[in-house]
Coordinates of all heavy atoms in Angstrom, one line a residue:
M1 N 98.0 86.7 93.4 CA 98.8 87.8 93.8 C 98.7 88.0 95.3 O 97.7 87.9 95.9 CB 98.3 89.0 93.0 CG 99.1 90.3 93.3 SD 98.6 91.5 92.1 CE 99.9 92.7 92.4
Q2 N 99.8 88.4 95.9 CA 99.9 88.6 97.3 C 100.6 89.9 97.5 O 101.6 90.2 96.9 CB 100.7 87.5 98.0 CG 101.0 87.7 99.4 CD 102.0 86.7 100.0 OE1 102.7 86.0 99.3 NE2 102.0 86.6 101.3
Y3 N 100.0 90.7 98.4 CA 100.7 92.0 98.8 C 100.3 92.3 100.2 O 99.4 91.8 100.8 CB 100.4 93.1 97.8 CG 99.0 93.5 97.6 CD1 98.4 94.5 98.3 CD2 98.2 92.8 96.7 CE1 97.1 94.8 98.1 CE2 96.9 93.1 96.5 CZ 96.3 94.2 97.2 OH 95.0 94.5 97.0
F4 N 101.0 93.3 100.8 CA 100.8 93.7 102.2 C 100.4 95.2 102.2 O 100.8 96.0 101.4 CB 102.1 93.6 102.9 CG 102.6 92.2 103.0 CD1 103.4 91.7 102.0 CD2 102.2 91.3 104.0 CE1 103.8 90.4 102.0 CE2 102.6 90.0 104.0 CZ 103.4 89.5 103.0
V5 N 99.5 95.5 103.2 CA 99.0 96.8 103.4 C 99.5 97.2 104.9 O 99.1 96.5 105.8 CB 97.5 97.0 103.3 CG1 97.0 98.4 103.7 CG2 97.0 96.6 102.0
V6 N 100.3 98.2 105.0 CA 100.7 98.7 106.3 C 100.1 100.1 106.5 O 100.3 101.0 105.8 CB 102.3 98.8 106.3 CG1 102.7 99.3 107.7 CG2 102.9 97.5 106.0
M7 N 99.2 100.1 107.6 CA 98.6 101.4 107.9 C 99.3 102.1 109.0 O 99.5 101.5 110.1 CB 97.1 101.1 108.3 CG 96.3 102.3 108.7 SD 96.1 103.4 107.3 CE 94.8 102.5 106.4
I8 N 99.8 103.3 108.8 CA 100.5 104.0 109.8 C 99.7 105.2 110.2 O 99.1 105.9 109.4 CB 101.9 104.5 109.1 CG1 102.7 103.3 108.7 CG2 102.6 105.4 110.1 CD1 104.0 103.7 108.1
D9 N 99.6 105.4 111.5 CA 98.8 106.4 112.1 C 99.7 107.6 112.5 O 100.6 107.4 113.4 CB 98.1 105.9 113.4 CG 97.1 106.9 114.0 OD1 96.9 108.0 113.4 OD2 96.5 106.5 115.0
Y10 N 99.4 108.8 112.0 CA 100.2 110.0 112.3 C 99.5 110.9 113.3 O 99.9 112.0 113.4 CB 100.5 110.8 111.0 CG 101.4 110.0 110.1 CD1 101.0 109.6 108.9 CD2 102.8 109.8 110.4 CE1 101.8 108.9 108.0 CE2 103.6 109.1 109.5 CZ 103.1 108.7 108.3 OH 104.0 108.0 107.5
G11 N 98.5 110.4 114.0 CA 97.8 111.2 114.9 C 96.9 112.2 114.2 O 96.1 111.9 113.4
R12 N 97.0 113.4 114.6 CA 96.2 114.5 114.0 C 96.4 114.7 112.5 O 95.6 115.2 111.8 CB 96.5 115.9 114.7 CG 96.1 116.0 116.1 CD 96.3 117.4 116.5 NE 96.2 117.4 118.0 CZ 96.6 118.5 118.7 NH1 97.0 119.6 118.1 NH2 96.5 118.5 120.0
R13 N 97.6 114.3 112.1 CA 97.9 114.5 110.7 C 97.3 113.4 109.8 O 97.4 113.5 108.6 CB 99.4 114.5 110.5 CG 100.1 115.7 111.2 CD 101.6 115.7 110.9 NE 102.2 114.4 111.0 CZ 103.4 114.1 110.8 NH1 104.3 115.1 110.6 NH2 103.9 112.9 110.9
G14 N 96.7 112.4 110.4 CA 96.0 111.4 109.6 C 96.7 110.1 109.6 O 97.5 109.8 110.4
R15 N 96.3 109.3 108.6 CA 96.8 108.0 108.4 C 97.3 107.8 107.0 O 97.0 108.5 106.1 CB 95.7 106.9 108.6 CG 95.3 106.8 110.0 CD 94.2 105.7 110.1 NE 93.8 105.5 111.5 CZ 92.9 104.6 111.8 NH1 92.3 103.9 110.9 NH2 92.6 104.5 113.1
E16 N 98.2 106.8 106.8 CA 98.8 106.6 105.5 C 98.8 105.0 105.3 O 99.3 104.3 106.2 CB 100.2 107.1 105.4 CG 100.9 106.8 104.1 CD 102.4 107.2 104.1 OE1 102.9 107.5 105.1 OE2 102.9 107.2 103.0
A17 N 98.3 104.6 104.2 CA 98.4 103.2 103.9 C 99.5 103.0 102.9 O 99.5 103.6 101.8 CB 97.0 102.7 103.3
I18 N 100.4 102.1 103.2 CA 101.5 101.8 102.3 C 101.2 100.5 101.7 O 101.1 99.5 102.3 CB 102.9 101.8 103.1 CG1 103.1 103.1 103.8 CG2 104.0 101.4 102.2 CD1 104.3 103.2 104.7
V19 N 101.1 100.6 100.4 CA 100.7 99.4 99.6 C 101.7 99.3 98.4 O 101.8 100.2 97.6 CB 99.3 99.4 99.0 CG1 98.9 98.2 98.3 CG2 98.3 99.7 100.2
D20 N 102.5 98.2 98.4 CA 103.5 98.1 97.3 C 103.4 96.6 96.9 O 103.8 95.7 97.7 CB 104.9 98.4 97.8 CG 105.9 98.4 96.7 OD1 105.5 97.9 95.6 OD2 107.0 98.7 96.9
P21 N 102.9 96.3 95.8 CA 102.7 94.9 95.3 C 104.1 94.1 95.3 O 104.1 92.9 95.3 CB 102.1 94.9 94.0 CG 101.5 96.3 93.9 CD 102.3 97.2 94.8
E22 N 105.2 94.8 95.2 CA 106.5 94.2 95.0 C 107.2 93.9 96.3 O 108.2 93.3 96.4 CB 107.4 95.0 94.1 CG 106.8 95.1 92.7 CD 107.7 95.8 91.7 OE1 108.9 96.2 92.1 OE2 107.3 96.1 90.6
I23 N 106.6 94.4 97.4 CA 107.3 94.2 98.7 C 107.0 92.9 99.3 O 105.8 92.4 99.2 CB 106.9 95.4 99.7 CG1 107.9 95.4 100.9 CG2 105.5 95.2 100.2 CD1 107.7 96.7 101.7
T24 N 108.0 92.2 99.9 CA 107.8 90.9 100.4 C 107.6 90.9 101.9 O 107.8 92.0 102.6 CB 109.0 90.0 100.2 OG1 110.1 90.6 100.8 CG2 109.3 89.9 98.7
R25 N 107.2 89.8 102.5 CA 107.0 89.8 103.9 C 108.3 90.1 104.7 O 108.3 90.8 105.6 CB 106.5 88.4 104.3 CG 106.2 88.2 105.8 CD 105.8 86.8 106.1 NE 105.6 86.6 107.5 CZ 104.4 86.5 108.1 NH1 103.3 86.6 107.4 NH2 104.3 86.3 109.4
R26 N 109.4 89.5 104.1 CA 110.7 89.8 104.7 C 111.0 91.3 104.8 O 111.6 91.8 105.7 CB 111.7 89.0 104.0 CG 113.1 89.2 104.5 CD 114.1 88.4 103.8 NE 114.0 87.0 104.3 CZ 114.4 86.0 103.6 NH1 115.1 86.1 102.5 NH2 114.3 84.8 104.1
E27 N 110.7 92.0 103.7 CA 110.9 93.4 103.6 C 110.1 94.2 104.6 O 110.6 95.1 105.2 CB 110.7 93.9 102.2 CG 111.0 95.4 102.0 CD 112.5 95.7 102.1 OE1 113.4 94.8 102.0 OE2 112.8 96.9 102.4
V28 N 108.8 93.8 104.8 CA 108.0 94.4 105.8 C 108.6 94.3 107.1 O 108.7 95.2 107.9 CB 106.5 93.9 105.7 CG1 105.7 94.4 106.9 CG2 105.9 94.2 104.4
I29 N 109.0 93.1 107.5 CA 109.6 92.8 108.8 C 110.9 93.6 108.9 O 111.1 94.2 110.0 CB 109.9 91.3 108.9 CG1 108.6 90.5 109.0 CG2 110.8 91.0 110.2 CD1 108.8 89.0 108.9
S30 N 111.7 93.7 107.9 CA 112.9 94.5 107.9 C 112.6 96.0 108.2 O 113.3 96.6 109.0 CB 113.6 94.3 106.6 OG 114.7 95.2 106.5
R31 N 111.6 96.5 107.5 CA 111.2 97.9 107.7 C 110.7 98.2 109.1 O 110.9 99.3 109.7 CB 110.3 98.4 106.6 CG 110.9 98.4 105.3 CD 110.0 98.9 104.2 NE 110.6 98.9 102.9 CZ 110.0 99.3 101.8 NH1 108.8 99.8 101.8 NH2 110.7 99.3 100.7
V32 N 109.9 97.3 109.7 CA 109.4 97.4 111.0 C 110.6 97.4 112.0 O 110.6 98.2 112.9 CB 108.3 96.4 111.4 CG1 108.0 96.4 112.8 CG2 107.1 96.5 110.5
A33 N 111.5 96.4 111.8 CA 112.6 96.3 112.8 C 113.5 97.5 112.7 O 114.1 97.9 113.7 CB 113.4 95.0 112.4
S34 N 113.7 98.1 111.5 CA 114.6 99.2 111.4 C 114.0 100.5 111.9 O 114.7 101.5 112.1 CB 115.0 99.4 109.9 OG 113.9 99.9 109.2
G35 N 112.7 100.5 112.1 CA 112.0 101.7 112.6 C 111.5 102.6 111.5 O 111.0 103.7 111.7
E36 N 111.6 102.1 110.2 CA 111.1 102.9 109.1 C 109.6 103.0 109.2 O 109.0 104.0 108.9 CB 111.5 102.2 107.8 CG 111.1 103.0 106.6 CD 111.6 102.3 105.3 OE1 112.5 101.5 105.3 OE2 111.0 102.6 104.2
Y37 N 108.9 101.9 109.6 CA 107.5 101.9 109.9 C 107.3 102.0 111.4 O 107.6 101.1 112.1 CB 106.8 100.6 109.4 CG 106.8 100.4 107.9 CD1 106.6 99.1 107.4 CD2 107.0 101.4 107.0 CE1 106.6 98.9 106.0 CE2 107.0 101.2 105.6 CZ 106.7 100.0 105.2 OH 106.7 99.8 103.8
K38 N 106.7 103.2 111.8 CA 106.4 103.4 113.2 C 104.9 103.7 113.4 O 104.2 104.0 112.4 CB 107.2 104.6 113.7 CG 108.7 104.4 113.7 CD 109.3 105.7 114.2 CE 110.8 105.6 114.1 NZ 111.5 106.8 114.5
N39 N 104.4 103.6 114.6 CA 103.0 103.9 114.9 C 102.1 103.1 113.9 O 101.2 103.6 113.3 CB 102.7 105.4 114.8 CG 103.5 106.2 115.7 OD1 103.9 105.7 116.8 ND2 103.9 107.4 115.3
I40 N 102.3 101.8 113.8 CA 101.5 101.0 112.9 C 100.2 100.7 113.5 O 100.0 100.2 114.7 CB 102.3 99.6 112.7 CG1 103.6 99.9 112.0 CG2 101.4 98.7 111.9 CD1 104.5 98.7 112.0
S41 N 99.1 101.0 112.7 CA 97.7 100.6 113.2 C 97.5 99.2 112.9 O 96.9 98.5 113.7 CB 96.7 101.5 112.4 OG 96.8 102.8 112.8
F42 N 97.8 98.7 111.7 CA 97.6 97.3 111.3 C 98.4 97.0 110.1 O 98.8 97.9 109.3 CB 96.1 97.0 111.1 CG 95.5 97.7 110.0 CD1 95.7 97.3 108.6 CD2 94.7 98.8 110.2 CE1 95.1 98.0 107.6 CE2 94.0 99.5 109.2 CZ 94.2 99.1 107.9
I43 N 98.6 95.7 109.9 CA 99.3 95.2 108.7 C 98.4 94.0 108.2 O 98.1 93.1 109.0 CB 100.7 94.6 109.0 CG1 101.6 95.7 109.7 CG2 101.3 94.0 107.8 CD1 102.9 95.2 110.1
H44 N 98.0 94.2 107.0 CA 97.1 93.1 106.4 C 97.9 92.5 105.2 O 98.6 93.1 104.5 CB 95.8 93.8 105.8 CG 94.9 94.2 106.9 ND1 93.8 94.9 106.6 CD2 94.8 93.9 108.2 CE1 93.1 95.1 107.8 NE2 93.7 94.5 108.7
E45 N 97.7 91.2 105.1 CA 98.2 90.4 104.0 C 97.0 90.1 103.1 O 96.1 89.5 103.6 CB 98.9 89.1 104.5 CG 99.4 88.3 103.4 CD 100.0 87.0 103.9 OE1 99.7 86.5 105.0 OE2 100.8 86.4 103.2
I46 N 97.1 90.5 101.9 CA 96.1 90.2 100.9 C 96.6 89.2 99.9 O 97.6 89.5 99.2 CB 95.6 91.5 100.2 CG1 95.1 92.5 101.3 CG2 94.5 91.2 99.2 CD1 94.8 93.8 100.8
A47 N 96.0 88.0 99.9 CA 96.4 87.0 99.0 C 95.1 86.5 98.3 O 94.1 86.1 98.9 CB 97.0 85.8 99.7
D48 N 95.2 86.5 97.0 CA 94.0 86.1 96.1 C 92.8 87.0 96.5 O 92.8 88.2 96.3 CB 93.7 84.6 96.2 CG 94.9 83.8 95.7 OD1 95.5 84.2 94.7 OD2 95.2 82.7 96.3
S49 N 91.8 86.4 97.2 CA 90.6 87.2 97.5 C 90.4 87.2 99.1 O 89.3 87.5 99.5 CB 89.4 86.6 96.8 OG 89.2 85.3 97.2
S50 N 91.4 86.9 99.8 CA 91.3 86.9 101.3 C 92.2 87.9 101.9 O 93.3 88.2 101.4 CB 91.6 85.5 101.8 OG 93.0 85.2 101.7
V51 N 91.8 88.4 103.1 CA 92.6 89.4 103.8 C 92.8 88.9 105.2 O 91.9 88.4 105.9 CB 91.8 90.7 103.9 CG1 92.6 91.7 104.7 CG2 91.5 91.3 102.5
D52 N 94.1 88.9 105.7 CA 94.4 88.4 107.0 C 95.1 89.5 107.7 O 96.0 90.2 107.2 CB 95.4 87.2 106.9 CG 94.7 86.0 106.4 OD1 93.5 85.8 106.6 OD2 95.4 85.2 105.6
D53 N 94.7 89.7 109.0 CA 95.4 90.7 109.8 C 96.6 90.0 110.5 O 96.5 89.1 111.3 CB 94.5 91.2 110.9 CG 95.1 92.3 111.8 OD1 96.3 92.6 111.5 OD2 94.4 92.8 112.7
I54 N 97.8 90.4 110.0 CA 99.0 89.7 110.5 C 99.9 90.7 111.3 O 101.1 90.5 111.5 CB 99.9 89.2 109.3 CG1 100.2 90.3 108.3 CG2 99.1 88.1 108.6 CD1 101.2 89.9 107.3
T55 N 99.3 91.7 111.9 CA 100.0 92.7 112.7 C 100.8 92.1 113.8 O 102.0 92.3 113.9 CB 99.0 93.7 113.3 OG1 98.2 94.2 112.2 CG2 99.8 94.9 113.9
A56 N 100.2 91.2 114.6 CA 100.9 90.6 115.8 C 102.0 89.8 115.3 O 103.1 89.8 115.9 CB 99.9 89.8 116.6
E57 N 101.8 89.0 114.2 CA 102.9 88.1 113.7 C 104.1 88.9 113.3 O 105.3 88.6 113.6 CB 102.4 87.3 112.6 CG 101.3 86.3 112.9 CD 100.7 85.7 111.6 OE1 101.4 85.6 110.6 OE2 99.6 85.3 111.7
I58 N 103.9 90.0 112.5 CA 105.0 90.8 112.0 C 105.7 91.5 113.1 O 106.9 91.5 113.1 CB 104.5 91.8 110.9 CG1 103.9 91.1 109.7 CG2 105.6 92.8 110.5 CD1 104.9 90.4 108.8
L59 N 105.0 92.1 114.1 CA 105.6 92.8 115.2 C 106.4 91.8 116.0 O 107.5 92.2 116.5 CB 104.6 93.5 116.0 CG 103.9 94.7 115.3 CD1 102.8 95.3 116.2 CD2 104.8 95.7 114.9
A60 N 105.9 90.6 116.2 CA 106.7 89.6 117.0 C 108.0 89.2 116.2 O 109.0 89.0 116.9 CB 105.8 88.4 117.2
E61 N 107.9 89.0 114.9 CA 109.1 88.6 114.2 C 110.1 89.8 114.1 O 111.3 89.5 114.0 CB 108.7 88.2 112.8 CG 107.9 86.9 112.7 CD 107.6 86.4 111.3 OE1 108.4 86.6 110.4 OE2 106.5 85.9 111.1
A62 N 109.6 91.0 114.1 CA 110.5 92.2 114.0 C 111.0 92.6 115.3 O 111.8 93.6 115.4 CB 109.8 93.3 113.3
A63 N 110.6 92.0 116.4 CA 111.0 92.5 117.7 C 112.5 92.5 117.9 O 113.2 91.5 117.6 CB 110.3 91.6 118.8
V64 N 113.0 93.6 118.3 CA 114.4 93.7 118.5 C 114.7 93.4 120.0 O 114.0 93.9 120.9 CB 114.9 95.2 118.2 CG1 116.4 95.4 118.5 CG2 114.6 95.5 116.8
P65 N 115.7 92.6 120.3 CA 115.9 92.3 121.7 C 116.3 93.5 122.5 O 117.1 94.3 122.0 CB 117.1 91.3 121.7 CG 117.7 91.4 120.3 CD 116.6 91.9 119.4
E66 N 115.7 93.6 123.7 CA 116.0 94.8 124.5 C 117.2 94.6 125.3 O 117.4 93.5 125.8 CB 114.8 95.1 125.4 CG 113.5 95.5 124.7 CD 112.4 95.9 125.6 OE1 112.7 96.2 126.8 OE2 111.3 95.9 125.2
I67 N 118.0 95.6 125.4 CA 119.2 95.5 126.2 C 118.8 95.9 127.7 O 118.3 97.0 127.8 CB 120.3 96.5 125.7 CG1 120.7 96.1 124.3 CG2 121.5 96.5 126.6 CD1 121.6 97.0 123.6
P68 N 119.1 95.1 128.6 CA 118.8 95.5 130.0 C 119.5 96.8 130.4 O 120.6 97.0 130.1 CB 119.3 94.3 130.8 CG 119.4 93.2 129.9 CD 119.7 93.8 128.6
A69 N 118.8 97.6 131.2 CA 119.3 98.9 131.6 C 120.6 98.7 132.5 O 121.4 99.5 132.4 CB 118.2 99.6 132.4
A70 N 120.7 97.6 133.2 CA 121.9 97.4 134.0 C 123.1 97.4 133.2 O 124.2 97.9 133.6 CB 121.7 96.1 134.8
E71 N 123.1 96.7 132.0 CA 124.3 96.7 131.2 C 124.7 98.0 130.7 O 125.9 98.4 130.6 CB 124.1 95.7 130.0 CG 124.0 94.3 130.4 CD 123.7 93.4 129.2 OE1 124.0 93.8 128.1 OE2 123.3 92.3 129.5
T72 N 123.8 98.9 130.3 CA 124.1 100.2 129.8 C 124.6 101.1 130.9 O 125.5 101.8 130.7 CB 122.8 100.9 129.2 OG1 121.7 100.0 129.2 CG2 123.1 101.4 127.9
D73 N 124.0 100.9 132.1 CA 124.5 101.7 133.2 C 125.9 101.4 133.6 O 126.7 102.3 134.0 CB 123.6 101.5 134.5 CG 122.2 102.2 134.2 OD1 122.1 103.0 133.3 OD2 121.3 101.8 134.9
L74 N 126.3 100.1 133.5 CA 127.7 99.7 133.8 C 128.7 100.4 132.9 O 129.7 100.9 133.3 CB 127.8 98.2 133.8 CG 127.1 97.4 134.9 CD1 127.3 95.9 134.6 CD2 127.7 97.8 136.2
Q75 N 128.3 100.4 131.6 CA 129.2 101.0 130.6 C 129.3 102.5 130.9 O 130.4 103.1 130.9 CB 128.7 100.8 129.2 CG 129.6 101.4 128.2 CD 129.2 101.1 126.8 OE1 128.1 100.6 126.6 NE2 130.0 101.5 125.8
T76 N 128.2 103.2 131.2 CA 128.2 104.6 131.5 C 129.0 104.9 132.7 O 129.8 105.8 132.7 CB 126.8 105.1 131.7 OG1 126.0 104.8 130.5 CG2 126.7 106.6 131.9
S77 N 128.9 104.1 133.7 CA 129.7 104.2 135.0 C 131.2 104.1 134.7 O 132.0 104.9 135.2 CB 129.2 103.2 136.0 OG 127.9 103.4 136.4
R78 N 131.5 103.1 133.9 CA 132.9 102.9 133.6 C 133.5 104.1 132.8 O 134.6 104.6 133.1 CB 133.1 101.6 132.8 CG 134.4 101.1 132.6 CD 134.5 99.7 132.0 NE 133.6 99.6 130.8 CZ 132.7 98.6 130.7 NH1 132.6 97.7 131.7 NH2 132.0 98.6 129.7
L79 N 132.7 104.7 131.9 CA 133.2 105.8 131.1 C 133.3 107.1 132.0 O 134.3 107.9 131.9 CB 132.3 106.1 129.9 CG 132.3 105.0 128.8 CD1 131.2 105.4 127.8 CD2 133.7 104.9 128.2
D80 N 132.3 107.2 132.9 CA 132.4 108.4 133.9 C 133.6 108.3 134.8 O 134.3 109.2 135.1 CB 131.1 108.4 134.7 CG 129.9 108.9 133.9 OD1 130.1 109.5 132.8 OD2 128.8 108.7 134.4
H81 N 133.9 107.0 135.2 CA 135.0 106.8 136.2 C 136.3 107.2 135.4 O 137.2 107.8 136.0 CB 135.0 105.4 136.7 CG 136.1 105.1 137.6 ND1 136.2 105.6 138.9 CD2 137.2 104.3 137.5 CE1 137.3 105.2 139.5 NE2 137.9 104.4 138.6
A82 N 136.5 106.7 134.2 CA 137.7 107.0 133.4 C 137.8 108.5 133.2 O 138.9 109.1 133.3 CB 137.6 106.3 132.1
R83 N 136.7 109.2 133.0 CA 136.8 110.7 132.8 C 137.2 111.4 134.1 O 138.0 112.3 134.1 CB 135.4 111.2 132.3 CG 135.5 112.7 132.0 CD 134.1 113.2 131.7 NE 133.3 113.3 132.9 CZ 132.1 112.9 133.0 NH1 131.4 112.4 131.9 NH2 131.4 112.9 134.1
D84 N 136.7 110.9 135.2 CA 137.0 111.5 136.5 C 138.5 111.3 136.8 O 139.2 112.2 137.4 CB 136.2 110.9 137.6 CG 134.7 111.3 137.6 OD1 134.5 112.4 136.9 OD2 133.9 110.7 138.2
L85 N 139.0 110.1 136.5 CA 140.5 109.9 136.7 C 141.3 110.8 135.8 O 142.3 111.3 136.3 CB 140.8 108.4 136.3 CG 140.3 107.4 137.3 CD1 140.6 105.9 136.8 CD2 140.8 107.6 138.7
R86 N 140.9 111.1 134.6 CA 141.7 112.0 133.7 C 141.6 113.4 134.3 O 142.6 114.2 134.1 CB 141.1 112.0 132.3 CG 141.5 110.7 131.5 CD 141.2 110.9 130.0 NE 139.8 111.3 129.8 CZ 138.8 110.4 129.6 NH1 139.1 109.1 129.6 NH2 137.6 110.8 129.3
K87 N 140.6 113.8 135.0 CA 140.5 115.1 135.5 C 141.5 115.4 136.6 O 142.0 116.5 136.8 CB 139.1 115.4 136.2 CG 138.0 115.7 135.3 CD 136.8 116.0 136.1 CE 135.5 115.8 135.4 NZ 134.4 116.1 136.3
H88 N 141.9 114.3 137.3 CA 142.8 114.4 138.5 C 144.2 114.0 138.1 O 145.1 113.9 139.0 CB 142.3 113.6 139.6 CG 140.9 114.0 140.1 ND1 140.7 115.2 140.7 CD2 139.7 113.4 140.0 CE1 139.4 115.4 141.0 NE2 138.8 114.3 140.6
E89 N 144.5 113.9 136.8 CA 145.9 113.6 136.5 C 146.8 114.8 136.6 O 146.3 115.9 136.4 CB 145.9 113.1 135.0 CG 145.4 111.7 134.8 CD 145.4 111.4 133.3 OE1 145.7 112.2 132.4 OE2 145.1 110.2 133.0
P90 N 148.0 114.6 137.0 CA 148.9 115.7 137.1 C 149.1 116.3 135.7 O 149.3 115.6 134.7 CB 150.2 115.2 137.6 CG 150.1 113.7 137.6 CD 148.7 113.4 137.4
V91 N 149.2 117.6 135.6 CA 149.4 118.3 134.3 C 150.8 118.7 134.1 O 151.6 118.9 134.9 CB 148.5 119.6 134.3 CG1 148.7 120.3 133.0 CG2 147.1 119.2 134.5

């Protein structure tokens, strides 16, 4: 039998261990990538009688590519410019 333990740290409110024997590795990665699992302390994979810390592996696989700030600023600038042009249109 194989299952995953995801430990989430809520700070002062404590910790929560999410253990679901029916959840797959793919589902854990999906939940980390979607942001459903945040503030992860660790992720352990338990298979037969061994425990492996796979936190780094899961976080690397779930990493969402970051959008460079320059691209977002260009879009914002373009929208601001269009709005400014509309302000000065004849009524």
